[in-house]
Amino acid sequence: MGKSTIFRSARLMVGLNAFEPGQEHALHAHPGMDKVYHVVEGEGLFLVDGDEHPMRSGMLLVAPEGVPHGIRNTGATRMLVLVILAPAPV
Amino acid sequence: MGKSTIFRSARLMVGLNAFEPGQEHALHAHPGMDKVYHVVEGEGLFLVDGDEHPMRSGMLLVAPEGVPHGIRNTGATRMLVLVILAPAPV
C-alpha cells in the first residue's frame, strides 16, 4: 500500500493512498478524528462498523471519529483513494 | 451558486459547491480554518493570495488558514467543487 501526503496542518491532513489488487487496510479507528475517503479510481470494499459497502470511483465515504473502518481493493486494478483526516494525526 | 453539505462535525465540513458559468465566490479568508477544494467537473480560476491559477477536473487546491482565496467559473459548463473545511465553520 502506497501513501503520499498532499497537505498537512494541525487541523487537517489530506493524502493519497494506493491499494494494489487484494491489498487492504485492516479495521482500525481514530479517536477524536473524522475521516473521509474519496475514491479517485478503482473499486473495492469499505468496511465500517461491521458492514461492507462497495466503493468505486467518485464515491465519498465517511468514518466518523472512533468508528472502526477499513478498506480492501477487490478490483483488478490499483485503487486510488483521497484520504482526509481532521484533525491531523500526530 | 449552489451549496450542499455532505458531512459536518465540529472538526470537519465536507460540502459540494456548484458554480454556473460566470459565477464566482469573491475573495475571502477563514481565520483558523484550512480549506481544500477538489474539482469534480468543469473549469475555472482559483484566486489565491493575489494570484490566479487554472482549476479543472481532478485538481486539488489548498487555501491555508487566513489566506484570501476565491473561485470563478470561467468555463461554459457548471463547475462542481468538493469543499473541505477544518475545523468546520460555526
Side-chain angles (χ1 to χ4, degrees):
Chain A
M1 174 189 161
K3 282 190 177 194
S4 174
T5 299
I6 295 171
F7 175 77
R8 172 187 270 275
S9 71
R11 295 166 285 272
L12 179 65
M13 196 201 72
V14 181
L16 193 64
N17 291 3
F19 297 81
E20 301 304 327
Q23 281 189 332
E24 74 170 32
H25 194 178
L27 279 178
H28 63 291
H30 304 279
M33 285 174 251
D34 293 314
K35 192 172 191 177
V36 175
Y37 294 102
H38 191 187
V39 187
V40 176
E41 62 179 49
E43 56 187 301
L45 281 179
F46 181 53
L47 319 169
V48 65
D49 217 9
D51 258 334
E52 294 185 348
H53 302 274
M55 54 194 303
R56 53 182 180 277
S57 182
M59 287 181 71
L60 210 74
L61 304 113
V62 178
E65 75 94 6
V67 174
H69 59 281
I71 278 185
R72 183 184 308 140
N73 182 348
T74 55
T77 59
R78 178 177 293 175
M79 179 168 65
L80 279 179
V81 183
L82 200 67
V83 180
I84 296 146
L85 260 172
V90 181
Chain B
M1 175 191 161
K3 282 190 176 193
S4 173
T5 299
I6 295 172
F7 175 77
R8 171 188 269 276
S9 71
R11 296 165 286 271
L12 178 66
M13 196 203 70
V14 180
L16 192 64
N17 291 1
F19 297 80
E20 301 304 325
Q23 280 189 332
E24 75 170 33
H25 196 177
L27 279 177
H28 63 289
H30 303 281
M33 285 173 251
D34 294 314
K35 193 172 190 176
V36 175
Y37 293 103
H38 191 189
V39 187
V40 177
E41 62 179 51
E43 56 185 302
L45 281 178
F46 181 53
L47 320 169
V48 65
D49 218 10
D51 257 333
E52 295 186 346
H53 302 273
M55 55 194 302
R56 55 182 180 278
S57 182
M59 286 181 70
L60 210 74
L61 303 113
V62 178
E65 75 95 6
V67 174
H69 59 280
I71 277 184
R72 185 183 307 140
N73 182 347
T74 57
T77 58
R78 178 177 292 176
M79 180 168 64
L80 279 179
V81 184
L82 199 68
V83 180
I84 297 146
L85 260 172
V90 182

